[in-house]
Amino acid sequence: MPSELNLILLGPPGAGKGTQAERLTQDFDLPYLSTGNMLRAAVSEGTDLGKQAEPIMNEGGLVPDEIIIGVTLEALGEADDGFLLDGFPRTVGQAEALTKALEERERKLTAALLIDVPDDEIVRRLTGRRTCAKNGHVYHVEFDPPKHEGVCDQDGSKLVQRDDDKPETVEKRLVAYHDKTAPLVGWFEDRGLLRRFDGTRSPTEVHDHIRATVATLRLEDEL
Ligand code: AMP
């Protein structure tokens, strides 16, 4: 039986998880699930989930486990051939629920890929980030500016600053990360699942390192 890759991307907001996810899902042909994207879609569609999540997201807080665990596990239910999860788990409770749900299906996590970036760098990255209003293409005013200020190179739509990328919200998201999500680093380490990557390197270097690690994990699993 070919081994399946059940991967988690871990790291502070703005570590580059989305960028790496785009590349890794192509490398390994994995379904990608971002709880942040899922929640933003729910907000723009005005669903019940979106209505509950919107004020919390705009404040930089975390959507309660009782809400996010159910919707994420349901979305994952279809990914029975491996997955790449971005933005989940974000609490120990979420990690325990995910592990249990996988065990019930005789599956297990392959690894948690931690992209490490210090706080001051995160603040610089997130507050300079601009996102295209239509399709979510991402730019940075300093590191990756669009050809024409305020306009998406790819589809010409307006570039906006996500509410949760505003400076005061970024600070709150970092507090939430350190309080609730950083304990997961030790949690995964204790279970032998943690793999660390230096997220201050260029996106290409980070990608090369992660890809090599994941390829090795897959080989080891097949032996
Ligand atoms: P992200 O795009 O992953 O940074 O997610 C944006 C926002 O969605 C976060 O700041 C949280 O408010 C919320 N969110 C995303 N994933 C989760 C999760 N697993 N648990 C709780 N809240 C989440």
Side-chain angles (χ1 to χ4, degrees):
M1 199 174 75
S3 62
E4 64 183 39
L5 288 171
N6 298 326
L7 298 169
I8 287 170
L9 275 171
L10 196 63
K17 300 190 294 294
T19 306
Q20 295 303 326
E22 253 175 52
R23 302 180 185 199
L24 293 167
T25 48
Q26 285 187 10
D27 295 336
F28 298 101
D29 195 20
L30 289 171
Y32 170 54
L33 185 69
S34 150
T35 47
N37 287 353
M38 194 170 80
L39 290 170
R40 280 185 287 279
V43 170
S44 66
E45 285 160 20
T47 64
D48 283 346
L49 171 65
K51 285 183 194 133
Q52 284 175 296
E54 188 173 18
I56 301 170
M57 293 169 77
N58 288 344
E59 279 287 309
L62 291 187
V63 175
D65 281 1
E66 305 83 79
I67 298 176
I68 194 76
I69 288 173
V71 289
T72 308
L73 293 183
E74 196 186 316
L76 262 189
E78 282 152 39
D80 47 14
D81 233 2
F83 55 78
L84 180 65
L85 252 181
D86 170 4
F88 187 100
R90 253 179 163 98
T91 64
V92 171
Q94 293 177 16
E96 284 169 347
L98 174 64
T99 308
K100 184 160 161 271
L102 289 173
E103 273 168 7
E104 283 167 5
R105 292 170 185 77
E106 294 180 358
R107 300 171 65 184
K108 60 182 170 53
L109 286 174
T110 311
L113 311 166
L114 170 67
I115 308 181
D116 235 346
V117 180
D119 283 6
D120 53 350
E121 172 72 11
I122 292 296
V123 171
R124 224 156 34 113
R125 287 185 186 183
L126 288 185
T127 55
R129 187 156 79 170
R130 298 294 178 270
T131 309
C132 112
K134 199 160 152 218
N135 292 310
H137 298 119
V138 178
Y139 300 83
H140 192 282
V141 290
E142 194 184 334
F143 310 130
D144 181 21
K147 288 195 191 79
H148 305 284
E149 200 186 319
V151 182
C152 178
D153 292 347
Q154 298 195 53
D155 55 31
S157 69
K158 197 171 151 224
L159 296 182
V160 294
Q161 185 173 43
R162 266 166 53 177
D163 279 341
D164 58 353
D165 285 342
K166 304 223 154 101
E168 57 286 7
T169 314
V170 168
E171 292 293 343
K172 288 188 192 150
R173 290 169 74 195
L174 275 171
V175 169
Y177 177 76
H178 288 294
D179 279 0
K180 309 256 176 59
T181 309
L184 281 177
V185 173
W187 196 91
F188 284 119
E189 206 157 31
D190 290 346
R191 286 158 183 76
L193 291 171
L194 191 78
R195 298 291 180 280
R196 273 178 200 272
F197 303 90
D198 177 357
T200 63
R201 303 290 190 94
S202 72
T204 301
E205 282 176 298
V206 177
H207 173 227
D208 287 346
H209 290 160
I210 299 182
R211 188 181 46 194
T213 299
V214 172
T216 307
L217 285 169
R218 187 170 58 177
L219 267 179
E220 283 170 1
D221 207 40
E222 281 168 4
L223 289 177

